[in-house]
Amino acid sequence: MADSSLTIGIIGGTGDHGRGLGFRLAAGGHRVIIGSRDAERARQCANALTGMLPAGTPAPDGMSNEAVAEAAALVLLTMPWESDGSAVSRLGPALRGKIVVSCANPIGFDSLGPHQLDTGHGSAAEHVAALLPDSRVVGAFHHLSARSLLDPAADLSAADVLVCGDDDAAKTTVRRLCLAVTGRTGIDAGPLRLARQIESFTAVLISVNRRYRTRAAVRLRHVADLEPVEASGAA
Amino acid sequence: MADSSLTIGIIGGTGDHGRGLGFRLAAGGHRVIIGSRDAERARQCANALTGMLPAGTPAPDGMSNEAVAEAAALVLLTMPWESDGSAVSRLGPALRGKIVVSCANPIGFDSLGPHQLDTGHGSAAEHVAALLPDSRVVGAFHHLSARSLLDPAADLSAADVLVCGDDDAAKTTVRRLCLAVTGRTGIDAGPLRLARQIESFTAVLISVNRRYRTRAAVRLRHVADLEPVEASGAA
């Protein structure tokens, strides 16, 4: 059962990725608040999500990003990565001491297709950590396609969520959150600096999706189950 | 059935990764030549591989890297990435017009674990392409663990091989080679510049393997099989 006492804020939550994660988390029993620069737009988005959820599920709320940062115990940053970082740093005081999950993939597109963007900070997640030094920054949810998240018929149990960060307790909390999204605990992928490799791998997934007209998910398969994953690790 | 007319050279093939790929390719019916700076060491390695192969399998040969580059129709570069590139560029004349598969992962290790190294060329594969402008460079076989490759009991069909390159015909040849290694055709991941993302993702796999004491493989699972992968693509 989801820990419904943990209010989850989705900053920039009116985009496809944020709406998709909000839908899955709310469907999993979590209290969700959608955030947007425009509070009215956030409320409309929350209402639309409520219409997609089974009757009896607690309805998501919608607020301004600032109000979400104040109200939530944990936030997901789901807006596209921005080089100036002002939208994130503005939320710093409200997010002090809180778990902040960076979900952004700094990916650019040109005639050769998708490619990794240089954030100047290694990764979007490390950029967030630099902008919010008093928050507990974790990277997660990079590889899930927004269309699949928003498709109630899509079974996401084939997807592994790779979770990275330098705060083990925060990482464990986020790994458990993954249960509501994919049905499986997230994988502890290591320290926050591996966010660079995890974020940029999304360019490979997009490239494969375009070539094969599919929605691919990363699953780490265990060629040698010397010790089963779900029975070990920090969680 | 493998195309046994295609002689596959494994440059730097006495290391674990090269031996493992040589073993799988030879077991799959390919003619394999192991290369080393030291021809005698290459012959010993080839003999050891022969002892691991089922009776009746064509025995791998061992030669100097230079002799392998001359004799083979296609080569795999399986030695660790070297910043000066002299070992690769020396083989340029012998490899003119041939398919050269870059398998190296430029990964460093420190107290925080594995991390991506900056090659100064985007990736090891792009570095090889710069060093061998007259060869047909493809990136592949980055994510397969050497221990699994060398373990005849390890079923690699759980692993996807991501193949990238700018020469579609060369990429198709390498994708078919994957059949002998994992039992499945490699996935066309896109242009060569995505090698950076594919190579560096190995740092994430190593990190997960250490945390969970396993040997993880990447499998791209298809959340939405709009069009089955094996039925589309260039192969």
Side-chain angles (χ1 to χ4, degrees):
Chain A
M1 197 53 208
D3 175 7
S4 57
S5 63
L6 187 72
T7 300
I8 301 170
I10 310 204
I11 307 288
T14 56
D16 286 345
H17 198 194
R19 280 191 304 132
L21 286 166
F23 170 63
R24 295 278 173 169
L25 289 165
H30 289 284
R31 181 167 145 64
V32 167
I33 320 177
I34 299 291
S36 169
R37 279 171 296 187
D38 176 347
E40 180 52 32
R41 208 161 150 242
R43 274 188 289 275
Q44 287 169 3
C45 176
N47 286 341
L49 285 183
T50 301
M52 292 170 62
L53 290 164
T57 312
D61 281 334
M63 302 179 186
S64 71
N65 284 331
E66 288 74 12
V68 169
E70 292 285 353
L74 175 154
V75 301
L76 273 54
L77 302 180
T78 63
M79 63 281 212
W81 173 74
E82 288 182 315
S83 57
D84 78 343
S86 58
V88 173
S89 55
R90 200 178 306 130
L91 304 175
L95 294 175
R96 190 163 291 148
K98 295 180 180 175
I99 297 175
V100 174
V101 186
S102 172
C103 310
N105 293 308
I107 303 290
F109 293 87
D110 62 18
S111 62
L112 286 177
H115 60 93
Q116 176 175 6
L117 292 178
D118 183 3
T119 65
H121 299 268
S123 61
E126 288 162 286
H127 190 193
V128 168
L131 294 165
L132 304 177
D134 299 322
S135 297
R136 305 164 70 193
V137 178
V138 170
F141 303 119
H142 301 94
H143 297 158
L144 302 174
S145 105
R147 274 176 64 201
S148 297
L149 286 167
L150 281 165
D151 175 358
D155 175 9
L156 291 177
S157 67
D160 271 321
V161 177
L162 300 175
V163 182
C164 62
D166 298 329
D167 178 324
D168 281 340
K171 200 156 51 169
T172 299
T173 298
V174 175
R175 291 177 57 213
R176 288 183 180 144
L177 262 194
C178 297
L179 265 174
V181 177
T182 64
R184 299 170 61 240
T185 306
I187 289 187
D188 179 0
L192 195 68
R193 74 168 175 190
L194 288 179
R196 178 179 174 190
Q197 285 83 324
I198 295 169
E199 293 171 5
S200 66
F201 196 71
T202 306
V204 177
L205 293 177
I206 296 170
S207 174
V208 168
N209 287 348
R210 288 180 167 192
R211 276 177 170 68
Y212 292 95
R213 276 167 271 171
T214 187
R215 303 202 295 267
V218 173
R219 177 75 179 261
L220 295 193
R221 297 298 296 271
H222 303 282
V223 172
D225 279 319
L226 304 179
E227 183 166 332
V229 162
E230 298 304 337
S232 82
Chain B
M1 196 52 208
D3 176 6
S4 56
S5 65
L6 186 72
T7 300
I8 301 169
I10 310 203
I11 307 288
T14 56
D16 286 346
H17 198 194
R19 280 192 302 132
L21 287 166
F23 169 63
R24 296 278 173 170
L25 289 165
H30 289 285
R31 184 168 142 66
V32 167
I33 321 178
I34 300 291
S36 169
R37 280 170 295 186
D38 176 347
E40 179 52 31
R41 205 160 154 243
R43 273 188 289 275
Q44 286 169 5
C45 177
N47 286 342
L49 285 182
T50 302
M52 292 171 63
L53 290 164
T57 312
D61 282 335
M63 301 178 186
S64 71
N65 283 331
E66 288 72 13
V68 169
E70 292 285 354
L74 175 155
V75 302
L76 273 53
L77 302 180
T78 62
M79 61 282 210
W81 173 75
E82 288 181 314
S83 56
D84 78 344
S86 59
V88 173
S89 55
R90 201 179 305 132
L91 304 174
L95 294 175
R96 189 163 290 145
K98 295 181 180 176
I99 297 175
V100 174
V101 186
S102 172
C103 309
N105 293 307
I107 303 290
F109 293 87
D110 62 19
S111 61
L112 284 177
H115 61 92
Q116 176 175 5
L117 293 179
D118 183 4
T119 65
H121 298 268
S123 60
E126 289 162 285
H127 190 193
V128 168
L131 295 165
L132 304 177
D134 299 322
S135 297
R136 306 164 70 193
V137 178
V138 170
F141 302 119
H142 300 94
H143 296 158
L144 303 174
S145 104
R147 275 175 64 199
S148 296
L149 286 167
L150 282 165
D151 175 0
D155 176 9
L156 292 177
S157 67
D160 271 323
V161 176
L162 301 176
V163 183
C164 62
D166 299 330
D167 178 324
D168 281 341
K171 200 155 53 168
T172 299
T173 298
V174 175
R175 291 177 56 213
R176 288 182 180 147
L177 263 194
C178 297
L179 264 175
V181 178
T182 65
R184 299 170 61 241
T185 306
I187 289 187
D188 180 359
L192 196 67
R193 73 169 174 188
L194 288 180
R196 178 179 173 189
Q197 286 83 323
I198 295 170
E199 294 171 6
S200 66
F201 196 70
T202 306
V204 177
L205 293 178
I206 295 170
S207 174
V208 168
N209 287 348
R210 288 180 167 194
R211 276 177 169 66
Y212 292 95
R213 276 167 271 171
T214 188
R215 303 202 294 266
V218 173
R219 178 74 179 262
L220 296 193
R221 296 298 297 271
H222 304 282
V223 173
D225 279 319
L226 304 178
E227 182 167 331
V229 161
E230 298 305 336
S232 81

